[in-house]
Amino acid sequence: MGPGPISVDPRVLRAMAAPLVGQFDPFMTATMNEVMALYRDVFATGNEQTFLVDGTARAGIEAALVSLIEPGDRVLVPVFGRFGHLLTEIAGRCGAEVHTIEVPWGEVFTADRVADAVRRVRPKVLALVQGDTSTTMCQPLAEIGAICAEHDVLFYCDATASLGGNEFRTDAWGLDVVTAGLQKCLGGPSGSAPVTLSPRAVAVVEGRRHVEAGLREPDDEAADEETAGRVIASNYFDLAMVMDYWGPRRLNHHTEATSMLYAARECARLLLAEGMDAAVARHARHGAAMLAGVRGLGLGVFGDTAHKMNNVVAVEIPEKLGPAGGDAVRASLLEDFGIEIGTSFGPLHSKVWRIGTMGYNARKDAVLTTLAALEHALRAVGVAVPAGGGVTAAQESYRDADRAADGLAHGAPDGVLA
Amino acid sequence: MGPGPISVDPRVLRAMAAPLVGQFDPFMTATMNEVMALYRDVFATGNEQTFLVDGTARAGIEAALVSLIEPGDRVLVPVFGRFGHLLTEIAGRCGAEVHTIEVPWGEVFTADRVADAVRRVRPKVLALVQGDTSTTMCQPLAEIGAICAEHDVLFYCDATASLGGNEFRTDAWGLDVVTAGLQKCLGGPSGSAPVTLSPRAVAVVEGRRHVEAGLREPDDEAADEETAGRVIASNYFDLAMVMDYWGPRRLNHHTEATSMLYAARECARLLLAEGMDAAVARHARHGAAMLAGVRGLGLGVFGDTAHKMNNVVAVEIPEKLGPAGGDAVRASLLEDFGIEIGTSFGPLHSKVWRIGTMGYNARKDAVLTTLAALEHALRAVGVAVPAGGGVTAAQESYRDADRAADGLAHGAPDGVLA
């Protein structure tokens, strides 16, 4: 029940045990095409170039940034948590001139603040995290695409921690490149990074196209000369090459990680069978119950809860416990109850626990069991907690949500059935 | 039965379906430590720094090279096939001044030839493939480590296609960095890259150490200043960071791809239970049978067979067939018999088929079935083949090998039992 990686859906685990075929077997290439189509729906996009990078979510981020950024390009990163810092790190290693704006941890940016910075910095790329698990905040994105379009800025988003559990609209929000991972709301294991690129982003990446020695044909030599000096600094993360491998040319690059491809396919199939809106509603429902539950135990919650991600909550460690007491509670949950919750990074280290309700763990039994165990673990270290306070508050949250849904289903005004 | 990826051992498939735990759960960190120990035995090394890079074999290559090479460093690559060209590509993108020596496809380098080039180029890094599946050649390495040590050159080897199926000795041969993949003789799926670094290589990489923003502590700031300007160009492939994650500090970097970790563990366990020498002998036995079998069908074999890898053979496509006929044979094998064999790259494109006998596919039934199917597929396109010529020759190869082994076991001189 941490902030991810999470327990994997058993159907995804089973999918990974399927036998493999060769990388150019018609079943394999058909499966790759199927995965592209599935992730278009997951990302809510019509982008042809929607595929997997073989590595963890961080590999997807680096592939996106190193393929877009040339040394000296200006990149703007609004930082509202640890994963914003990560974007500055990666952009910096790509040779970018990195500009940042920051808000205190626990807050998000207004669109105006981002617009001002875009006008001032005039970046080539705006790189922004949607959901930063380090603070649990979910950055609103809907108004930022228009700002980027107006100033001809490429809009990149790291949606690793949020996709599937919070509303996400690649095309409607004007995003150019989005990357994710399986190990959060998608219910899978770490190790595969779904990505999508708009036609505008594809044009930028294709402008740096290069076919590797040993595979080159005469036309490629000519194209190479045009892009000389602008070649992408990584071979593995060269998205122009990765697109040639996923596309009709099927030009050999890496050897696709087939078991992870099967996992990614099953994650998307399950999510789309449920429906993306229904999956987001499920995360909202269980996230609200967990939030109510920890408050019902008398615990404080960190940050601006109006902008909290549905799938994770940062719970303030009671001050009297101190860092050692906070660790003792986590250890008791793990050792006595077999439940893992997260610690935290940077300014929140030893200040909050992070409890996730995402992917396969966004379930009522997981929420109630965690709250029951947390009650015992807190009492064991001397924190006064109301008996049953967590479970009862979560159950009320579920009942309220059911009544509201029932009311909506019957067209009755709010509260009539209460 | 292609040159890899290959059919995965069912026990490895099953291992990937195991449930996941959080990345700092004691079971997880113990499993990571166990994997480090297992791969020390697979690589025949005492190197503490032996771990996995989360990506395909190519990710391991890039991680090794980008972590060793600073822009302007001289790198020497002896090229004897496509994967040598790949090393030049990746080293070039790292900003290296790349020098190459070449032999025609189908040959390997003498140690003297490499020594001459080392003396002339004085490289920081010698980067060399052991087994290049594009030509099926296996480069002898035993004498090259001493040359590198004498000239203070870091010796990197890509053992992806050969490890487990051909003799390999990291420490005895004086190798500094070795990378591999699971999808060849290790019997697993693509997507995880075992790597090992000698203490000398670790010192080079640690000299470029940098802790990322958001995780830095005061001591790290000081260390960062010392390495300023020498920071590794990739975050994901920064092996100093990856070592901090696998080491006792457990500093968060990527989120380990746990299902692939399980796969890597199972591959190594199975190989070590068999014994590394026994696994190499198994590959030699089935490789010899396949070689005898294709010759028994009247087909030619490409390259210097004295230096052929045990686990793959390049079979000359009968000239009268032409490229279309060659493809028709492969298509018949796949569609009629469910057996995949490989095409080839570059100068061998449409000239040879590549047939693998590696990992889980290094089995007698796989060899004989492939030869029986190939006989039919050849006859179907009008090639005159001796009836049963492939299977019979392979069976004789197995019988000869059994007799030789039996003779050895009884201390009898060669041939006495024949």
Side-chain angles (χ1 to χ4, degrees):
Chain A
M1 300 298 285
I6 44 77
S7 311
V8 170
D9 191 303
R11 292 166 291 187
V12 177
L13 292 176
R14 190 178 55 189
M16 277 188 290
L20 272 60
V21 296
Q23 58 182 328
F24 300 109
D25 185 292
F27 173 77
M28 181 67 185
T29 51
T31 302
M32 291 171 76
N33 289 342
E34 184 189 352
V35 165
M36 294 177 86
L38 288 165
Y39 278 90
R40 285 184 200 114
D41 290 344
V42 170
F43 282 120
T45 183
N47 289 341
E48 170 67 19
Q49 296 300 349
T50 304
F51 52 89
L52 307 176
V53 168
D54 282 7
T56 73
R58 183 180 287 236
I61 298 170
E62 186 160 323
L65 294 183
V66 77
S67 294
L68 292 177
I69 298 171
E70 294 180 46
D73 282 342
R74 277 192 304 281
V75 174
L76 173 63
V77 185
V79 175
F80 62 99
R82 182 197 160 195
F83 291 95
H85 286 300
L86 177 62
L87 298 183
T88 70
E89 276 279 332
I90 296 175
R93 295 204 193 196
C94 297
E97 180 188 312
V98 182
H99 297 256
T100 60
I101 52 175
E102 295 201 39
V103 287
W105 284 36
E107 298 179 18
V108 297
F109 291 92
T110 61
D112 282 349
R113 178 93 194 277
V114 175
D116 286 347
V118 166
R119 276 189 288 266
R120 181 170 47 80
V121 174
R122 299 251 162 213
K124 175 178 175 182
V125 177
L126 174 72
L128 188 52
V129 174
Q130 183 188 29
D132 197 315
T133 49
S134 67
T135 70
T136 77
M137 292 297 104
C138 190
Q139 171 65 45
L141 302 174
E143 295 173 50
I144 296 176
I147 300 165
C148 289
E150 189 190 335
H151 296 90
D152 201 24
V153 172
L154 290 160
F155 186 9
Y156 163 73
C157 178
D158 169 14
T160 303
S162 52
L163 185 69
N166 304 270
E167 189 188 13
F168 195 88
R169 311 262 170 217
T170 299
D171 291 357
W173 294 349
L175 287 152
D176 289 300
V177 184
V178 186
T179 68
L182 305 185
Q183 76 276 15
K184 308 276 183 178
C185 302
L186 270 57
S190 173
S192 179
V195 305
T196 188
L197 286 83
S198 72
R200 194 161 72 120
V202 170
V204 170
V205 175
E206 289 285 357
R208 307 176 70 189
R209 198 166 176 285
H210 167 87
V211 175
E212 73 185 38
L215 295 179
R216 244 175 254 158
E217 301 196 5
D219 285 357
D220 298 319
E221 305 273 358
D224 275 2
E225 280 176 29
E226 283 171 34
T227 57
R230 302 180 55 219
V231 168
I232 293 165
S234 167
N235 172 291
Y236 192 71
F237 292 137
D238 182 328
L239 290 183
M241 285 178 162
V242 179
M243 290 189 287
D244 270 346
Y245 180 65
W246 282 78
R249 199 170 173 193
R250 296 278 172 213
L251 206 54
N252 189 252
H253 181 247
H254 63 285
T255 297
E256 185 59 19
T258 308
S259 304
M260 291 304 307
L261 177 84
Y262 291 162
R265 179 170 71 154
E266 193 66 14
C267 288
R269 278 171 156 177
L270 293 171
L271 212 50
L272 294 170
E274 178 181 14
M276 291 303 292
D277 292 343
V280 170
R282 170 169 54 87
H283 282 88
R285 172 183 167 84
H286 297 292
M290 184 62 88
L291 177 66
V294 295
R295 284 179 165 157
L297 286 170
L299 300 169
V301 169
F302 173 79
D304 169 12
T305 49
H307 289 105
K308 194 182 80 60
M309 296 159 73
N310 288 325
N311 47 308
V312 61
V313 60
V315 181
E316 290 169 356
I317 300 173
E319 230 168 277
K320 62 173 280 195
L321 283 185
D327 286 348
V329 169
R330 285 202 308 123
S332 164
L333 283 175
L334 184 62
E335 288 159 22
D336 300 331
F337 298 93
I339 296 171
E340 187 195 36
I341 65 170
T343 176
S344 199
F345 297 110
L348 294 181
H349 187 63
S350 298
K351 299 246 171 37
V352 304
W353 298 303
R354 293 177 302 149
I355 305 181
T357 43
M358 61 184 94
Y360 187 64
N361 291 351
R363 299 191 326 266
K364 189 177 187 176
D365 64 295
V367 169
L368 298 184
T369 306
T370 301
L371 289 166
L374 181 57
E375 178 183 335
H376 288 277
L378 285 166
R379 199 172 288 126
V381 292
V383 178
V385 281
V391 171
T392 304
Q395 283 177 316
E396 271 166 23
S397 170
Y398 284 124
R399 265 195 300 270
D400 290 348
D402 288 343
R403 279 188 200 119
D406 209 29
L408 282 173
H410 291 85
D414 261 16
V416 165
L417 295 175
Chain B
M1 299 299 284
I6 45 76
S7 310
V8 171
D9 191 304
R11 293 165 291 187
V12 177
L13 292 176
R14 191 178 53 188
M16 277 188 291
L20 273 61
V21 296
Q23 58 182 327
F24 300 110
D25 185 293
F27 173 77
M28 181 67 185
T29 51
T31 302
M32 292 170 76
N33 289 343
E34 184 188 351
V35 166
M36 295 176 85
L38 288 165
Y39 278 90
R40 284 183 200 115
D41 289 345
V42 171
F43 281 120
T45 182
N47 289 340
E48 168 66 20
Q49 296 300 351
T50 304
F51 52 89
L52 306 177
V53 168
D54 282 8
T56 73
R58 182 179 287 236
I61 298 170
E62 185 160 324
L65 294 183
V66 78
S67 294
L68 292 178
I69 299 171
E70 293 180 46
D73 283 343
R74 278 191 304 282
V75 174
L76 173 63
V77 185
V79 175
F80 61 98
R82 183 198 158 193
F83 292 95
H85 285 300
L86 177 62
L87 298 184
T88 69
E89 276 279 334
I90 296 175
R93 294 202 194 199
C94 297
E97 181 188 312
V98 182
H99 297 254
T100 60
I101 52 176
E102 295 200 38
V103 287
W105 283 35
E107 298 179 18
V108 296
F109 292 92
T110 61
D112 283 348
R113 178 91 194 277
V114 176
D116 286 347
V118 165
R119 278 189 285 267
R120 180 169 48 79
V121 175
R122 300 251 162 212
K124 173 179 175 181
V125 177
L126 173 71
L128 188 52
V129 174
Q130 184 188 28
D132 197 316
T133 49
S134 68
T135 71
T136 77
M137 292 298 104
C138 190
Q139 171 64 46
L141 302 174
E143 296 173 52
I144 295 175
I147 300 165
C148 289
E150 189 190 336
H151 296 88
D152 200 24
V153 172
L154 289 161
F155 186 10
Y156 163 74
C157 177
D158 169 14
T160 303
S162 52
L163 185 68
N166 304 270
E167 189 188 12
F168 195 87
R169 313 262 169 216
T170 298
D171 291 356
W173 293 350
L175 287 151
D176 289 301
V177 185
V178 185
T179 68
L182 305 184
Q183 76 275 15
K184 307 276 182 180
C185 302
L186 270 57
S190 172
S192 180
V195 306
T196 189
L197 287 83
S198 71
R200 193 160 74 121
V202 170
V204 170
V205 174
E206 289 285 356
R208 306 176 71 190
R209 198 166 174 283
H210 167 87
V211 175
E212 74 186 37
L215 294 180
R216 244 175 255 160
E217 301 195 6
D219 286 358
D220 297 320
E221 304 274 357
D224 275 4
E225 279 176 28
E226 284 171 34
T227 56
R230 302 180 55 219
V231 168
I232 293 165
S234 168
N235 172 292
Y236 192 72
F237 292 136
D238 182 328
L239 290 183
M241 286 180 161
V242 179
M243 289 190 287
D244 270 346
Y245 179 65
W246 283 78
R249 200 172 172 190
R250 295 280 171 212
L251 208 55
N252 188 253
H253 181 247
H254 64 284
T255 297
E256 184 59 19
T258 309
S259 304
M260 291 305 306
L261 177 84
Y262 292 162
R265 179 169 71 153
E266 193 65 15
C267 289
R269 279 170 156 180
L270 293 171
L271 211 51
L272 294 170
E274 179 181 12
M276 292 303 292
D277 292 344
V280 171
R282 170 170 52 89
H283 282 89
R285 172 182 168 84
H286 298 293
M290 184 62 87
L291 176 66
V294 295
R295 283 178 166 157
L297 286 170
L299 299 169
V301 168
F302 172 79
D304 169 11
T305 50
H307 290 105
K308 193 181 82 61
M309 295 159 75
N310 289 325
N311 48 308
V312 61
V313 60
V315 181
E316 290 169 355
I317 300 172
E319 231 169 278
K320 61 172 279 200
L321 284 185
D327 286 347
V329 170
R330 285 202 309 122
S332 165
L333 284 175
L334 184 62
E335 288 159 22
D336 300 332
F337 298 92
I339 296 170
E340 188 195 36
I341 64 169
T343 176
S344 200
F345 298 111
L348 294 181
H349 187 65
S350 298
K351 300 247 170 35
V352 305
W353 298 304
R354 293 178 302 150
I355 305 181
T357 43
M358 61 184 95
Y360 187 65
N361 290 351
R363 299 193 324 267
K364 188 176 187 176
D365 63 295
V367 169
L368 298 185
T369 307
T370 301
L371 290 166
L374 181 57
E375 178 183 336
H376 287 278
L378 284 167
R379 199 172 289 128
V381 293
V383 178
V385 281
V391 171
T392 304
Q395 282 176 317
E396 272 165 24
S397 170
Y398 284 124
R399 264 194 301 269
D400 290 348
D402 288 343
R403 278 187 201 121
D406 208 29
L408 281 175
H410 292 85
D414 260 19
V416 164
L417 296 174

